[in-house]
Amino acid sequence: MSAGPPTRPRKLAVFGGGLGSLSAVFALTELPGWRERFDITVYQIGWRLGGKARSGRNLRAHARNEALGHHVWYGWYDNAFALARRVYAETRRAPGAPLATFKEAFKPCDHLLLGTGDRTDRTPPWKMSLPRGDSLPGDGAAQPSVWHFAQTLLLWAIDCIPRLHPQYATWSAIVPRWPDASRSLWPALMRRAGGQGVRAYDGFDPQRPDYDDLLRRAAAAVHGEDAPKTSRQRRAWAQPLTHCGEHSLRSLVGLGARQTHPQFTTMVDLALATVRGILHDGLDRAGFSAIDDQDLRAWLRRHGASEEALASTVLVALYADHMSYESGDAERPAAAAGALLRAALRRYLAFSGALYYIPAAGLGEVLFAPLYRLLRDRGVHFRFFHKLKHLCPDPKQPAVSAAVVGRQIELAPGVEEYEPLIKVKGLPCWPSRPLYSQIVLGDDPVIQAIDFEANESPEVEEVVLRAGVDFDDIILGIPPPALAGAARELAARDPRWEALLEHTHSIAAMGAQLWLSPTWAQLLGGPAQAGAGGIVRTELPRWVNLSTAAAYEGWPREHWPGAIASLSGPRPDRSADGSREPVRDIAETWLKSHPRALWPEASLAGADEFNWELLLDPQGRAAEHRLAAQHCWATQNASDRQIVTLPGDPRHRLAAGDSGFRNLWLAGDWVGGGLDLACAEGAVMAGLQAARAVSGDAIVIHGERDCIDSD
């Protein structure tokens, strides 16, 4: 914690208005007496907040919401949802106002639909359904330990295995199918467990085995008086069951189980490999980060996962969901094993309420507009159209002595402060373009052609903010891909910054937001149950049903959309000749190739070609030209690139409170010491860590560390 001047509040300059830095500001302004302690100013490039999660209303296209990215919030995002719920509790919109409550703003979903664009794969899409709980994300439910995850997976696998083949529905039928050597080894593992004080296998007679009774007793033992209590006992209890599960699965696969139950066979396969890996590598005592130098699929393979499971839709979709690819190339998946495994286990085994939630409109109006208004009302200052150009380290001490900022615009006469929000149907929203009436020469086509969210955008003035005068501390919420220039002197001073900039990998993203005339149910030919999912092995493998947003857009009755879809995926780095296929062409190819994979009723009668007339186009264009009326996008700016966590990357990341410069604090999903994975929860967690480091207060961060055994 750095010490500011005692006679006034510490001045905090916050650079970047993404979820990480805004979470830090929110947490600081939650502290008792914060106004006496801090004077906070947020400097934001361009005209809106939200970072990579921002969205805006296109006032030239019926105020429709246009966004970048894949905005699905999973039920395990406890810190992110706690933030959102507190924002809604404090803003207290009037009853009947649009999106007045948290429950109106975030729609729960219990089903994921996972399919493939591979036409040779005849396996139908898998609807993964998980039962909803009574709690809500943000309640602060206890975080399961690494051991609890392993135990849950193991017991689930043991429960599932007798259901994988109709002719082998009991353990007494399955175990005799094992190789003799494997069956002979099993009693030795049980005796070893008994030697560690595990009573679950007592009384087993290899000469007259009752395998079904044995497995029932072993599974029930974790809940009884004789439940294993130490780490050593728990591992000893698990080894015979893991051995049983692995050899039973292999036997049943050889008998055709994968053809009978392809998805569940794959899930059992992956579950058992995960359990074996946790036990073998001691993750129940070391935590998931211990395997971050390995790729997740390589780690699963090393612990016995089959090649069929490693190529399965569910695992490929996990990589696609986080766009975990080298250089954006889907043919080169790579992810730090611990970071991605932690996220996967929390996603499916530690969610609160529903499996995931979809914003009822764009995140701009669902989260960032109310958060902005709340922070402004609390007394936080915002300076839009201010871009960070350079951080200057003090030559005599490890501190930042100055920050060079480019002011991008002059405000129009009579405008004292830029007012960024508009209202659409009574809902405060961010526009997709600046409000030019507040800007000098705002009606000039040259000004309107400028991308004010790009680092390369012009500026009207360079401003130098000086330590001790304009700021005492800095919270940096700008990701490393956009810091190559601004942080170059930090990297020259501190080798850790050089490593951070070099080893923070990122990729561009792209997508298409589609407005269609039929409802989602009509496109499916049945009820719309899943709100999101994946169609792997396609250029745009992630999809979300955003149809609820139509009610908050400004469409006339004759052009009212029945469905809104978001498709997105990685944008590969440029080819050797520097060229890139236009996103609209990619979307056209996707719709021509995979319409039935998402919407069975979206094809022309008697053909497998997409019915282009389904796309909403007020101008009435024909065929694929109707894509011109949709929102096809690609991230162009360095700050918008998706951070990916490749094997080995986490060791180069800096913690929120360990920048190496005593008045510089870090916030964002690129910060180390938390999830080490790009997602909303990771950004909020890092923001809370920054607030804790700045303030010195004991700010509680749910799930910040893996729960591990210490004995």
Side-chain angles (χ1 to χ4, degrees):
M1 173 179 172
S2 64
T7 58
R8 59 169 174 78
R10 289 163 62 190
K11 292 185 177 181
L12 298 184
V14 181
F15 291 107
L19 192 51
S21 53
L22 293 180
S23 299
V25 174
F26 181 84
L28 290 171
T29 58
E30 290 271 280
L31 299 175
W34 78 269
R35 288 175 181 267
E36 287 71 44
R37 299 174 63 185
F38 305 110
D39 179 3
I40 304 174
T41 302
V42 177
Y43 295 88
Q44 172 63 40
I45 189 172
W47 67 95
R48 55 181 167 174
L49 303 177
K52 291 186 286 291
R54 68 188 184 276
S55 65
R57 295 307 189 96
N58 187 341
L59 300 181
R60 298 172 296 175
H62 304 292
R64 71 185 189 187
N65 175 70
E66 296 178 351
L68 307 176
H70 182 70
H71 303 314
V72 171
W73 279 29
Y74 283 94
W76 66 272
Y77 288 4
D78 207 73
N79 296 290
F81 276 114
L83 167 69
R85 288 173 62 183
R86 290 202 297 271
V87 168
Y88 275 86
E90 185 167 336
T91 51
R92 295 181 181 176
R93 291 174 178 168
L99 302 181
T101 67
F102 166 79
K103 289 187 176 181
E104 292 178 57
F106 287 90
K107 301 301 182 182
C109 298
D110 305 310
H111 313 287
L112 275 175
L113 191 66
L114 303 177
T116 177
D118 183 356
R119 295 191 179 189
T120 65
D121 187 343
R122 298 300 181 184
T123 306
W126 183 26
K127 187 179 74 172
M128 180 184 289
S129 302
L130 293 173
R132 190 176 304 184
D134 296 329
S135 60
L136 281 177
D139 282 347
Q143 180 65 44
S145 67
V146 176
W147 166 253
H148 180 84
F149 285 130
Q151 174 184 292
T152 301
L153 288 174
L154 182 54
L155 292 178
W156 177 81
I158 293 299
D159 182 63
C160 283
I161 285 172
R163 309 179 192 189
L164 295 180
H165 198 294
Q167 296 179 19
Y168 298 91
T170 66
W171 290 106
S172 296
I174 296 170
V175 176
R177 307 292 305 188
W178 296 6
D180 291 342
S182 301
R183 197 165 55 253
S184 300
L185 177 60
W186 201 21
L189 295 175
M190 296 183 211
R191 289 193 296 272
R192 183 186 300 172
Q196 296 292 337
V198 176
R199 306 273 68 89
Y201 305 105
D202 288 357
F204 175 70
D205 183 357
Q207 303 303 317
R208 291 188 296 176
D210 185 342
Y211 297 118
D212 292 277
D213 178 67
L214 171 68
L215 271 296
R216 277 194 299 270
R217 288 191 294 108
V222 294
H223 305 297
E225 293 182 0
D226 294 329
K229 295 178 175 58
T230 67
S231 173
R232 181 172 295 181
Q233 286 181 334
R234 287 192 286 266
R235 294 160 68 85
W237 166 84
Q239 286 171 348
L241 288 181
T242 305
H243 180 86
C244 171
E246 290 173 340
H247 289 286
S248 297
L249 180 64
R250 290 174 192 166
S251 298
L252 293 178
V253 167
L255 295 166
R258 199 175 295 279
Q259 287 70 42
T260 307
H261 293 290
Q263 289 93 356
F264 277 106
T265 302
T266 291
M267 294 300 290
V268 171
D269 192 331
L270 294 173
L272 290 171
T274 299
V275 172
R276 175 171 286 280
I278 289 174
L279 297 176
H280 183 275
D281 292 350
L283 303 188
D284 54 327
R285 292 173 290 186
F288 292 114
S289 298
I291 56 171
D292 272 336
D293 281 352
Q294 306 173 53
D295 171 63
L296 177 58
R297 294 207 301 181
W299 182 81
L300 289 168
R301 179 183 288 112
R302 186 161 63 85
H303 292 295
S306 68
E307 292 303 314
E308 291 84 357
L310 295 173
S312 65
T313 297
V314 67
L315 191 56
V316 174
L318 180 65
Y319 276 73
D321 200 43
H322 292 278
M323 295 201 296
S324 295
Y325 309 115
E326 293 187 35
S327 302
D329 184 354
E331 298 300 317
R332 293 192 290 160
L340 192 54
L341 181 61
R342 177 192 296 115
L345 293 176
R346 291 188 182 186
R347 174 190 294 190
Y348 295 121
L349 301 180
F351 63 88
S352 295
L355 175 60
Y356 62 96
Y357 293 75
I358 297 175
L363 273 176
E365 52 263 28
V366 165
L367 180 63
F368 292 106
L371 178 56
Y372 160 71
R373 297 178 78 186
L374 183 151
L375 294 176
R376 187 192 58 189
D377 290 346
R378 286 182 175 181
V380 176
H381 311 290
F382 287 86
R383 298 289 180 264
F384 292 96
F385 296 101
H386 283 71
K387 63 177 183 179
L388 177 65
K389 297 182 66 178
H390 194 49
L391 292 173
C392 306
D394 191 305
K396 298 180 180 179
Q397 56 183 330
V400 175
S401 61
V404 180
V405 176
R407 185 164 61 85
Q408 298 172 284
I409 62 161
E410 292 280 5
L411 292 174
V415 178
E416 295 185 3
E417 185 175 347
Y418 183 79
E419 294 292 339
L421 299 179
I422 58 173
K423 281 196 173 182
V424 177
K425 293 187 173 180
L427 187 65
C429 304
W430 305 91
S432 61
R433 304 170 76 215
L435 298 175
Y436 293 108
S437 62
Q438 300 182 43
I439 300 173
V440 168
L441 299 177
D443 57 354
D444 189 327
V446 174
I447 298 297
Q448 295 189 9
I450 295 173
D451 179 3
F452 285 104
E453 293 178 325
N455 277 339
E456 301 78 18
S457 58
E459 60 210 48
V460 298
E461 180 186 19
E462 188 173 272
V463 180
V464 179
L465 306 179
R466 301 198 178 279
V469 178
D470 304 296
F471 69 87
D472 298 303
D473 297 89
I474 290 173
I475 295 178
L476 183 62
I478 300 172
L483 290 176
R488 63 180 181 274
E489 286 194 41
L490 304 186
R493 175 75 70 85
D494 187 337
R496 297 188 308 152
W497 272 87
E498 183 179 13
L500 172 71
L501 297 179
E502 180 181 352
H503 294 283
T504 299
H505 293 92
S506 64
I507 64 173
M510 63 179 178
Q513 202 167 328
L514 309 176
W515 287 260
L516 302 101
S517 298
T519 66
W520 201 279
Q522 289 170 332
L523 291 166
L524 291 177
Q529 294 180 327
I535 303 176
V536 301
R537 300 182 180 88
T538 70
E539 302 88 344
L540 302 170
R542 309 182 302 183
W543 64 266
V544 188
N545 179 353
L546 300 178
S547 302
T548 56
Y552 307 101
E553 298 178 346
W555 296 94
R557 184 177 300 275
E558 63 270 20
H559 295 304
W560 191 268
I564 305 174
S566 171
L567 311 173
S568 63
R571 183 144 170 80
D573 289 344
R574 295 183 183 275
S575 58
D577 63 1
S579 64
R580 271 183 169 176
E581 186 177 4
V583 177
R584 188 182 299 176
D585 291 352
I586 293 172
E588 178 183 335
T589 300
W590 193 98
L591 288 169
K592 286 180 176 179
S593 304
H594 312 295
R596 291 186 181 274
L598 182 55
W599 300 305
E601 300 300 320
S603 299
L604 293 169
D608 199 28
E609 183 177 345
F610 182 71
N611 182 358
W612 297 103
E613 294 300 312
L614 301 181
L615 291 179
L616 196 62
D617 182 4
Q619 295 187 28
R621 282 165 283 213
E624 61 269 22
H625 299 293
R626 297 175 79 87
L627 269 173
Q630 313 306 308
H631 176 48
C632 296
W633 57 269
T635 53
Q636 306 289 344
N637 301 320
S639 58
D640 292 332
R641 290 178 66 88
Q642 168 90 16
I643 302 297
V644 293
T645 306
L646 302 184
D649 283 359
R651 83 168 89 106
H652 300 289
R653 295 187 176 175
L654 302 179
D658 187 27
S659 74
F661 298 87
R662 67 187 186 195
N663 62 343
L664 177 63
W665 318 93
L666 311 178
D669 60 13
W670 50 276
V671 172
L675 293 179
D676 288 317
L677 198 69
C679 61
E681 179 72 351
V684 173
M685 193 177 287
L688 298 178
Q689 290 172 331
R692 185 172 61 194
V694 169
S695 66
D697 288 57
I699 296 173
V700 176
I701 305 173
H702 185 71
E704 179 181 19
R705 299 282 184 266
D706 294 329
C707 297
I708 57 176
D709 292 335
S710 57
D711 57 349

